[in-house]
Amino acid sequence: MRTLLFLLQKEFRQITRDKSILRMILVMPMLQLVLLPNAADYEMKNILLSVVDHDHSEYSRQLVQKVTSSGYFKLNSFSDSYADALQEVEEDRADLILEIPARFEKSLVHEDQATLFLAINSINGVKANLGGAYLRSIIQDYNREVRTQWIQLPRLSPETTIDIVPTNWFNPRMNYKVFMVPGILVILVTLVGSFLTSLNIVREKEVGTMEQINVTPIKKHHFILGKLIPFWAMGLLVLTLGFGIARIGYGIIPLGSFLTIYVFAAVFLLAVLGLGLLTSTYSDTQQQAMLVSFFMMMIFILLSGLYTPIDSMPTWARYITRINPVAYFIDVIRLVVLKGAGLYEIRQQLAIMFGFAVLLNGWAVLSYHKRS
């Protein structure tokens, strides 16, 4: 125990002596937590629209006015030529083209139907899909308004009508920050835990202190614990500061208990720190450790469910998410923050994470033994 205390003292001094590491651990994650949720908005706005109006009728003007007043679209150009509008798309100045044919109003009045043409710039797939969906929804709404003006409704409407009253459970206002901020906080804690730990043992190798440690009677589990505990404490500190920013900056207060989050976070950090130490024992230089960590972090983030729901992923990707610790923590922190889940509700995720922690740290200890 005394040996471990000396090792911890040495590690904490090493961390606090290097100001750049302190900035990486404390300042950078907090800045990211302030900036990223405000930039990563799921709601698409300012979609650039080019309108080609061949009709110039009252109805076509009403339709264009309804589209542009929705707040989602920004009128980029208004012309009579589809070629001119297409040129705007090719030069990336327009995302959508709405072409209103000649005789639009007459067809609508006399034949009860009219056809509109949409051309969508699909370079940005998300913007194209959402923009097209928004525009179709607005046009359908306009169509209903026109029909309502024409039809002299009797006391009982001959048309079947279904009124939908939606209710959003656990996030009544559908505020995306409420579920994005906890997810981003998990990513930042993971970065601090795994990335910096992966560089730790490699740095000892590069500066030559590893050989000195190897000739001392320090036991291998003392050495691993001495490397693991400081960053485990730093990870919990980052989590605490992150919840402070979430409370002050975004007004987010977990519906469930902080104890549940911290119990899971403690086990989660053991798992990702073990992964970082494992990477470190297999790497000979800090550059190798950084590249491996970067590769794993990209997979962890993209397959974590932070941006894309896991159920929407292909089958092979869903299998990979089962061995992704970040996916479990994001699922748990959203359950606790939004739904108020307790330890009993997250027992399965907790057991899996404990298994990850035992496996990765045990592997790191064995790996260090082989190379010492």
Side-chain angles (χ1 to χ4, degrees):
M1 189 65 187
R2 193 161 174 264
T3 305
L4 180 59
L5 290 176
F6 280 125
L7 280 172
L8 291 175
Q9 188 178 13
K10 173 249 180 192
E11 290 296 329
F12 275 113
R13 282 186 177 178
Q14 191 172 327
I15 292 171
T16 54
R17 192 171 52 200
D18 193 337
K19 302 300 180 188
S20 62
I21 290 181
L22 282 179
R23 283 194 289 271
M24 286 177 66
I25 293 175
L26 300 177
V27 179
M28 289 175 64
M30 297 306 106
L31 282 176
Q32 289 174 329
L33 193 60
V34 171
L35 296 176
L36 290 180
N38 289 300
D41 190 343
Y42 282 168
E43 193 174 63
M44 203 62 68
K45 293 179 181 175
N46 296 324
I47 303 168
L48 298 175
L49 175 68
S50 287
V51 175
V52 181
D53 188 357
H54 298 292
D55 192 45
H56 297 289
S57 63
E58 180 63 25
Y59 278 16
S60 68
R61 279 192 291 274
Q62 287 178 3
L63 174 61
V64 174
Q65 185 179 6
K66 185 172 182 60
V67 172
T68 53
S69 62
S70 65
Y72 296 113
F73 296 93
K74 188 176 178 181
L75 187 60
N76 175 65
S77 65
F78 189 92
S79 67
D80 298 330
S81 169
Y82 179 77
D84 292 343
L86 191 59
Q87 185 68 26
E88 296 288 315
V89 173
E90 290 176 351
E91 294 177 2
D92 211 22
R93 290 198 295 266
D95 300 309
L96 287 168
I97 297 175
L98 171 63
E99 186 177 26
I100 303 172
R103 297 177 54 81
F104 169 72
E105 185 178 85
K106 290 183 179 177
S107 299
L108 202 60
V109 172
H110 297 295
E111 301 173 14
D112 292 336
Q113 62 178 5
T115 303
L116 296 171
F117 178 72
L118 295 183
I120 303 172
N121 182 358
S122 299
I123 289 180
N124 186 331
V126 176
K127 200 171 187 178
N129 282 330
L130 289 178
Y134 290 168
L135 193 51
R136 282 190 289 271
S137 175
I138 292 169
I139 292 171
Q140 287 171 359
D141 190 36
Y142 174 75
N143 184 40
R144 280 193 295 272
E145 288 180 4
V146 171
R147 290 178 62 84
T148 305
Q149 290 174 2
W150 290 354
I151 297 174
Q152 295 296 324
L153 293 176
R155 183 170 175 270
L156 292 176
S157 174
E159 291 188 353
T160 303
T161 57
I162 299 176
D163 290 330
I164 301 173
V165 182
T167 301
N168 302 312
W169 284 88
F170 311 119
N171 188 3
R173 297 181 180 176
M174 283 296 286
N175 183 0
Y176 77 96
K177 290 179 183 175
V178 174
F179 63 88
M180 281 299 290
V181 169
I184 292 174
L185 182 56
V186 170
I187 298 297
L188 297 177
V189 170
T190 309
L191 282 170
V192 170
S194 68
F195 196 71
L196 293 178
T197 313
S198 66
L199 301 179
N200 202 280
I201 294 180
V202 182
R203 187 171 180 276
E204 299 275 8
K205 292 177 185 177
E206 288 188 342
V207 299
T209 53
M210 179 61 81
E211 287 79 5
Q212 298 173 14
I213 293 173
N214 283 342
V215 297
T216 62
I218 295 174
K219 295 180 180 177
K220 56 184 180 183
H221 64 276
H222 283 159
F223 178 76
I224 294 296
L225 284 174
K227 293 291 182 187
L228 188 146
I229 291 174
F231 290 103
W232 180 80
M234 289 290 179
L236 291 178
L237 177 62
V238 168
L239 184 66
T240 305
L241 293 174
F243 273 120
I245 291 177
R247 173 70 180 88
I248 297 170
Y250 304 104
I252 297 174
I253 302 174
L255 196 61
S257 168
F258 275 109
L259 177 65
T260 306
I261 297 174
Y262 276 89
V263 167
F264 192 89
V267 181
F268 170 79
L269 278 168
L270 286 177
V272 294
L273 289 169
L275 182 62
L277 289 173
L278 184 63
T279 305
S280 187
T281 55
Y282 278 103
S283 303
D284 294 322
T285 63
Q286 292 190 62
Q287 190 177 19
Q288 286 179 5
M290 286 177 65
L291 289 173
V292 172
S293 297
F294 180 76
F295 171 75
M296 289 190 296
M297 282 306 303
M298 287 294 293
I299 294 175
F300 283 170
I301 293 172
L302 293 176
L303 298 180
S304 65
L306 177 63
Y307 298 107
T308 305
I310 291 175
D311 292 337
S312 302
M313 296 178 185
T315 306
W316 61 267
R318 289 202 295 272
Y319 281 118
I320 294 177
T321 61
R322 294 179 183 176
I323 55 172
N324 181 2
V326 180
Y328 289 99
F329 195 14
I330 288 179
D331 182 33
V332 165
I333 200 168
R334 283 176 174 169
L335 283 174
V336 178
V337 171
L338 293 171
K339 201 174 178 181
L343 286 171
Y344 182 78
E345 285 82 5
I346 65 164
R347 62 189 184 285
Q348 184 179 359
Q349 293 94 329
L350 190 60
I352 293 172
M353 196 54 57
F354 185 76
F356 278 134
V358 172
L359 174 67
L360 294 171
N361 285 285
W363 191 353
V365 171
L366 292 174
S367 174
Y368 170 67
H369 175 69
K370 289 178 181 176
R371 289 172 168 259
S372 61

